[in-house]
Amino acid sequence: MSSTSTPDSNAPWYKQLTGYHWFVLIVASAAWFFDCLDQRLFSLARVPALVELMKLPPTNPDLQAFGKVVTACFLIGWGVGGLIFGALGDKYGRARMLTLTILIYSAFTGLSYFSRTKLDFTIFRFLTGIGVGGVFGLAVALIAETVPNGARTQCLGLLQILSTIGNITAGFAKIGIDALEASHTITAGSGWRWMFLIGAAPALMIIFTRKYLKEPASWQHLKDTNQLPKGSIFAPYASLLASARWRKNLLVGAVIASTGVVGLWAIGEYAVDLQKVAFKQYFEKAGTAPDKIAAEVNNAISVAYLWNMMGAAVGMTLFTNVAKLGRRLAFFLGFSAALTATFLVYWKMSDPISARWMMFLMGTAQLSVFAGFAIYLPELFPSKLRSTGTSFCYNLGRFAAAGGSFFSATLTSGIYGKFAAQDPALPLRYAAMTMCAIFLLGIFILPFAPETKGKPLPEDD
């Protein structure tokens, strides 16, 4: 059966998919599911890991600042991996490189279990990022070039919607491991190690993907006709920059993606750090027994995280449907909502009950645009450069988010650190509220973004 055939192009999107189309969608979504699982395991385990490795309490400003440094290094690895594997995907195939990236991020996530210092922990996270960074561009290019045009928007949106299951799985994993710690089944304070060990499981995926997953017909045709990028790994980037059309699309896509990635990873990512401080204050004022506070805080953070991820699924679903009316309209609404919701959450979140609806709201707004990255970025580039262009746009955002994390660390400990004596939560609040200005950048670039609604994937000039 042809991987690109469709029984009826006017049928509902799900009826346009053949068995092989569903297989590609499932495999690519599973790769991104485990990728997102890894990301969120790190988000939830970062502070507990540094508490053990640095021998400092979670409220210590030095620990909070170094947590942002570790995140920045992870994001830099993520960006490097995305740039490398995006180009390799165009030169050697999306399916082949997707398998390799899964192996890399699985191996180094598992090795994080064995960290003994903050340095080797940081190195393992950087190397994990190399593998994590390659997945998105490869997965969306594989889906975009395999499924029929009439089903492309829904399939790519569904890829991101399903990624929230990986995020929610990470939340349940933390709840389960916290319970094992509380029952003394595992050593108190060591739960973060077991969370990273869970992240090694995706390596099993390659057993099922290597034999049956094929390259898209459009890429295979380019290979058969000797039209793939030639030369070094930088050749695809040179081809993108040589064309005025692709160069403009590269700039627009990079700014849009960077806005969303910075918003999530240099602002939203640190909601957990704020919760550590604010929830501890809440339970102390409520008269909770001192020996119970840590468990109460951990449970409240886990619950808030699950609400955040449920919001993400809602937001991505809404974006996918609004994108049918127009890509630029969907991004405008998404960035505007993210600006408003994120500022509100960092300004007002102070107790576990309000945190639930606030984190749901922030997840709905912040993560809605990530469905747009999957839908929109592959629509900006031709087949022979699609993986490179998509990965560049998405992963340039990782470098921007790394810079944003360093800047946020400076704001937290330097500019706003003086407010810690008044309230330890204030430096985190003020730093995040200041960083919310990034969402304006995404709004300002939209008039220059090409509208791709209802158009086929572009080909070469």
Side-chain angles (χ1 to χ4, degrees):
M1 178 181 295
S2 170
S3 64
T4 58
S5 64
T6 177
D8 182 0
S9 60
N10 295 317
W13 72 270
Y14 53 89
K15 290 187 177 180
Q16 297 181 39
L17 303 182
T18 66
Y20 182 76
H21 293 149
W22 283 108
F23 172 73
V24 170
L25 178 60
I26 291 169
V27 169
S29 297
W32 190 228
F33 163 92
F34 285 116
D35 190 299
C36 293
L37 173 69
D38 184 283
Q39 298 169 37
R40 292 305 164 183
L41 287 173
F42 168 66
S43 298
L44 296 170
R46 179 185 61 244
V47 171
L50 293 178
V51 166
E52 178 179 339
L53 298 174
M54 295 179 70
K55 312 300 183 187
L56 293 172
T59 56
N60 185 282
D62 290 337
L63 184 144
Q64 293 172 6
F66 192 77
K68 295 184 177 184
V69 171
V70 175
T71 301
C73 291
F74 177 48
L75 290 167
I76 291 171
W78 197 332
V80 170
L83 297 182
I84 291 173
F85 283 105
L88 292 177
D90 282 330
K91 287 173 67 67
Y92 301 111
R94 292 82 161 96
R96 182 184 302 177
M97 291 300 106
L98 185 62
T99 296
L100 182 56
T101 57
I102 293 169
L103 273 176
I104 293 172
Y105 76 66
S106 299
F108 287 107
T109 297
L111 286 172
S112 299
Y113 173 93
F114 300 100
S115 298
R116 289 294 177 266
T117 69
K118 66 179 185 181
L119 176 60
D120 57 18
F121 179 66
T122 302
I123 292 171
F124 286 140
R125 296 320 299 164
F126 171 81
L127 294 172
T128 300
I130 296 288
V132 165
V135 171
F136 180 81
L138 297 167
V140 299
L142 188 63
I143 291 175
E145 295 172 352
T146 300
V147 303
N149 283 335
R152 190 176 67 245
T153 298
Q154 286 288 351
C155 287
L156 290 171
L158 187 60
L159 169 84
Q160 284 287 31
I161 294 168
L162 292 175
S163 72
T164 60
I165 300 176
N167 297 334
I168 291 172
T169 301
F172 281 117
K174 185 179 185 301
I175 291 173
I177 288 173
D178 286 345
L180 292 176
E181 281 195 23
S183 65
H184 305 293
T185 303
I186 60 176
T187 305
S190 69
W192 64 271
R193 296 184 185 275
W194 293 96
M195 289 177 71
F196 285 122
L197 203 58
I198 291 172
L204 298 174
M205 271 190 61
I206 64 169
I207 298 173
F208 303 101
T209 62
R210 288 188 64 185
K211 183 176 179 181
Y212 301 106
L213 192 63
K214 308 299 181 185
E215 300 297 344
S218 58
W219 183 90
Q220 192 63 49
H221 172 73
L222 292 171
K223 179 182 178 183
D224 294 341
T225 55
N226 201 30
Q227 297 184 58
L228 294 176
K230 300 176 179 63
S232 72
I233 192 175
F234 300 106
Y237 293 104
S239 296
L240 281 171
L241 295 174
S243 165
R245 180 185 180 187
W246 309 139
R247 190 165 59 243
K248 176 192 174 184
N249 287 2
L250 196 68
L251 174 63
V252 168
V255 173
I256 288 175
S258 294
T259 298
V261 175
V262 171
L264 178 63
W265 281 94
I267 309 176
E269 170 70 7
Y270 302 115
V272 172
D273 295 7
L274 174 60
Q275 291 164 4
K276 282 276 184 182
V277 178
F279 292 176
K280 181 174 183 291
Q281 294 173 334
Y282 170 82
F283 287 114
E284 287 174 344
K285 291 179 181 178
T288 304
D291 61 333
K292 302 292 186 182
I293 289 178
E296 292 287 353
V297 169
N298 284 336
N299 181 67
I301 288 174
S302 298
V303 172
Y305 173 78
L306 293 176
W307 278 93
N308 183 243
M309 289 302 103
M310 287 188 288
V314 171
M316 290 178 183
T317 302
L318 289 173
F319 191 103
T320 300
N321 285 283
V322 174
K324 297 175 185 177
L325 304 177
R327 310 316 196 217
R328 289 187 295 190
L329 171 64
F331 276 118
F332 174 77
L333 294 175
F335 286 140
S336 299
L339 170 62
T340 304
T342 305
F343 192 94
L344 172 66
V345 167
Y346 275 94
W347 180 26
K348 291 295 186 180
M349 183 171 63
S350 59
D351 66 86
I353 303 301
S354 65
R356 296 178 184 180
W357 69 262
M358 286 187 175
M359 292 301 291
F360 180 91
L361 182 65
M362 190 168 77
T364 299
Q366 275 192 358
L367 282 144
S368 67
V369 296
F370 280 72
F373 303 155
I375 295 167
Y376 188 60
L377 296 181
E379 295 177 339
L380 297 178
F381 306 104
S383 295
K384 71 178 183 180
L385 300 172
R386 184 161 293 122
S387 177
T388 302
T390 300
S391 292
F392 178 87
C393 292
Y394 193 68
N395 290 289
L396 185 68
R398 302 303 170 189
F399 292 110
S405 287
F406 283 123
F407 182 63
S408 181
T410 300
L411 289 174
T412 302
S413 60
I415 305 301
Y416 297 125
K418 60 187 178 183
F419 294 102
Q422 177 183 345
D423 180 349
L426 288 181
L428 292 166
R429 293 186 189 278
Y430 292 159
M433 290 160 68
T434 301
M435 293 283 292
C436 282
I438 189 64
F439 292 112
L440 296 174
L441 181 62
I443 294 172
F444 291 156
I445 197 67
L446 291 177
F448 305 97
E451 180 56 70
T452 58
K453 176 183 71 75
K455 298 179 180 179
L457 292 174
E459 294 307 326
D460 300 326
D461 277 338

